[in-house]
Structures are given as C-alpha cells and as structure tokens.
Amino acid sequence: MSFFSKLKESVARTTETVTQKFVSGLSKTSSNLVGAMGSIFSGRSKIDEDLYEELEEVLISADVGVPTTMHLVERLREEVKTRKIKEPNELQPVMSELIAELLEDQDEPALRLNANGMSIILFVGVNGVGKTTTIGKLAHTLKREGKKVVLAAGDTFRAGAIEQLETWGERAGVDVIKQHAGSDPAAVIFDAIQAAKARKADVLLCDTAGRLQNKVNLMEELKKVFRVVQREVPDAPHEVLLVLDATTGQNAMQQAKQFGQAVNVSGIVLTKLDGTAKGGIVIAIRHELDLPVKWIGLGEKADDLQPFDRDQFLHALFQEGSR
C-alpha cells in the first residue's frame, strides 16, 4: 500500500468534519509548501544541485527552519541514492514520507490528565499569541466531554485579560477564579487550586502572565507559580502548555526556547495556523525542540481548536497527492 493510501485509510477513521477543519485550516500552508515543491519536481527534467537549492528555499520560506530544512534535504539525497530515483516527479511522495518520519513520535495524548483526581494545566506564552482564547476553547471542549472545569485568571497584568477569560467562562458554563487587576499571579493560582478542590473539579486550567511590570522578571514569576502548584498538588502541573502564534514563525521558536528554560514545558499549542502559509513551523518544532504539538488552532470557532493529529496534518498538507 502506498504512503498516500495509508494516510487516506487512517484519516477515514475520524469524522469528515475534523478532516475538513484540517484541510481548510492548512490550505495556505499546503499551497505555499507542497504546491511550491510540486512545481519544482514537475518543472525539472533531472535531479541536480539546482533542484536541491530551490527545495531548500521553499522549505525555509514555509518556516520549516534552517536546521530542519538541511536535515530533510540531506535525507532526500540519501533516499535518491538508495532508491536509485532518476525522475524529479517521483520525489513528492518521498518528501511526504520524510516529513512523516520527523513527526513519527507525535502520537502522544492531546492532554495528560490525572486519572486519580484533579488535573492542573498551566498555559504559558507571551501576550498576543491567543493564550486566553485557547483556554476558553479548551474549557468548552472539556465541558462538552462531561468534565467539571474551573479556570484561573492568573494573567493579572494585561489589560482586559481577566474580563476576557470571564467571557469565555460564561460561554463554556464554567467557573472563573480571579482577583483584582495587578494581583500576585501566584496568589490567584493558589486561590484557584483551593476553589477547584472544594468544587471537586476534574480540570483546572490556569492562565498566566505573558508580560509583567518592568521590574518584575516574567520567567521568575512563572517559576513561582510553578512552585505554588507543586506545593499544593505534588504531582502537578500535569501539563505545561506553551501557546505559540504560528504566524510569527521563527520568533515562536525563540519563545519556545526561552520558556522551556524557565518552566518544564510539556507540549505546544500552535494557534492561528489557518492564518498563515508558514505551517511548516509544526515540523521545525518537532525536530528542533523535541516537543509535541498537542493542539492547533484552525479557525475562530470554539471547536476549531483541535488535538494535533499527525495523519490529518499530513493528509491536509499533501491533499493533492493523496487524492
């Protein structure tokens, strides 16, 4: 069975609605990355250095990143030699296999939840990436699954952040624990843990600051929040999800490195993938950071936040080849 046939078989196991969300949300990236690769492979009569150089440019322009691009092109060279490939138009399925190879260990659960009590999930990331919106959408999803959810308004410094989380809480029908603007974020998280315990919540989703006042170090403040959580619930947090904006490309990679040094990030939420042609950042994150992309934002609606599905991602990316 060919690679694309296996993909179609795998994708067929999920609902058509989910498949369509991935296809429409990744259409810009598919056109920019796979469409451009296809033009190179179909527009040349031989496999030569010019082809590899053009391929590098296409991958880098789609935010696959320089290290990951070099890895993929080197692997392609090896496969061309091993398989004795002569025709450029045979390279597209090989590239899809190589990208799949990089995402191979991506079959982790969307969320690691505590089977024996309340789960605490911390959300970290700079302002403007869609952190609060992501929390609201995830609350909606978990509530729909029958879980009792509480939200912690720990981003006390960004104007309107508390009110924004309250709005999402009302939409999802879940409680929001808050203090006044400018409060100590760690104190808010402490209160939220006590309230969530008292209400026998299944999941506590904690918003955190993306920027603090000038004299306060953001990373030190996050470490403080982390310590409070661990003190109150020894096996928590069960996830520390770093929210990144896919439209910022390589800036997102830098943010991931900075936050990863401060707190033990367990996974990535990549927002606004539908708004960029540079969704290759998913591949770069997996290869360079060795972190799973757990959720992706494919639109504005609450259910447009989807658990990352490797086969759906590849199918949407290579949709022309998989027809």
Side-chain angles (χ1 to χ4, degrees):
M1 189 184 286
S2 74
F3 176 79
F4 289 130
S5 298
K6 287 177 186 172
L7 259 191
K8 285 178 83 170
E9 194 176 274
S10 172
V11 166
R13 296 190 196 115
T14 56
T15 67
E16 181 62 29
T17 305
V18 170
T19 300
Q20 274 309 117
K21 284 185 186 299
F22 272 81
V23 169
S24 59
L26 290 162
S27 60
K28 291 179 182 176
T29 296
S30 178
S31 175
N32 183 45
L33 175 57
V34 180
M37 279 197 296
S39 296
I40 294 171
F41 299 149
S42 63
R44 292 191 161 273
S45 57
K46 61 179 180 177
I47 300 172
D48 56 14
E49 280 306 309
D50 287 345
L51 181 146
Y52 289 124
E53 283 180 21
E54 276 190 54
L55 181 59
E56 284 174 10
E57 287 174 22
V58 164
L59 290 167
I60 290 169
S61 75
D63 266 332
V64 173
V66 175
T68 308
T69 292
M70 295 299 110
H71 171 83
L72 282 169
V73 173
E74 188 52 41
R75 285 285 291 112
L76 183 63
R77 288 176 186 271
E78 290 169 9
E79 291 301 316
V80 166
K81 286 178 186 171
T82 304
R83 303 188 197 189
K84 298 183 171 56
I85 298 170
K86 301 295 181 190
E87 298 300 322
N89 61 14
E90 294 176 39
L91 296 179
Q92 188 87 313
V94 181
M95 277 302 294
S96 61
E97 287 173 38
L98 295 178
I99 290 171
E101 194 179 87
L102 284 186
L103 297 172
E104 205 149 34
D105 299 327
Q106 185 58 77
D107 299 324
E108 301 187 29
L111 285 177
R112 287 203 302 260
L113 297 177
N114 179 12
N116 303 308
M118 182 174 69
S119 303
I120 299 180
I121 301 171
L122 285 185
F123 290 80
V124 300
V126 302
N127 286 351
V129 294
K131 185 157 39 74
T132 306
T133 301
T134 294
I135 293 168
K137 289 179 178 179
L138 188 55
H140 167 85
T141 298
L142 293 171
K143 176 83 184 298
R144 204 172 50 190
E145 291 174 0
K147 292 182 174 58
K148 184 164 189 179
V149 182
V150 172
L151 308 183
D155 186 356
T156 60
F157 292 96
R158 179 172 67 83
I162 297 170
E163 292 78 6
Q164 187 186 2
L165 195 66
E166 282 186 297
T167 300
W168 274 106
E170 286 169 16
R171 283 182 198 163
V174 303
D175 292 341
V176 177
I177 308 303
K178 63 172 185 173
Q179 289 185 17
H180 58 80
S183 298
D184 176 10
V188 177
I189 301 302
F190 174 83
D191 283 355
I193 292 171
Q194 307 316 313
K197 282 179 178 176
R199 294 169 203 197
K200 294 184 167 48
D202 298 307
V203 186
L204 173 64
L205 304 179
C206 304
D207 200 359
T208 64
R211 186 175 67 237
L212 297 175
Q213 295 154 321
N214 293 338
K215 294 182 181 177
V216 182
N217 182 289
L218 171 61
M219 298 307 171
E220 289 306 314
E221 193 64 38
L222 287 176
K223 288 177 187 175
K224 182 177 165 188
V225 167
F226 201 87
R227 287 195 299 272
V228 166
V229 171
Q230 289 188 314
R231 188 185 70 217
E232 297 306 311
V233 182
D235 63 339
H238 302 93
E239 292 271 20
V240 179
L241 299 179
L242 172 61
V243 183
L244 299 173
D245 178 346
T247 65
T248 63
Q250 292 304 303
N251 279 344
M253 294 292 287
Q254 292 309 311
Q255 289 167 27
K257 287 168 186 172
Q258 289 166 358
F259 278 91
Q261 288 165 4
V263 287
N264 190 22
V265 173
S266 59
I268 303 288
V269 180
L270 205 53
T271 64
K272 309 176 192 177
L273 258 178
D274 58 309
T276 181
K278 299 189 172 189
I281 190 73
V282 172
I283 306 161
I285 286 169
R286 187 63 199 160
H287 182 238
E288 293 176 43
L289 302 178
D290 197 29
L291 278 172
V293 176
K294 296 220 164 192
W295 292 79
I296 55 176
L298 297 168
E300 298 295 320
K301 296 175 188 168
D303 61 353
D304 286 335
L305 180 71
Q306 287 286 322
F308 182 81
D309 181 313
R310 184 192 77 142
D311 288 349
Q312 287 282 6
F313 177 80
L314 290 167
H315 175 262
L317 211 56
F318 291 94
Q319 50 188 297
E320 289 301 322
S322 57
R323 277 175 189 157

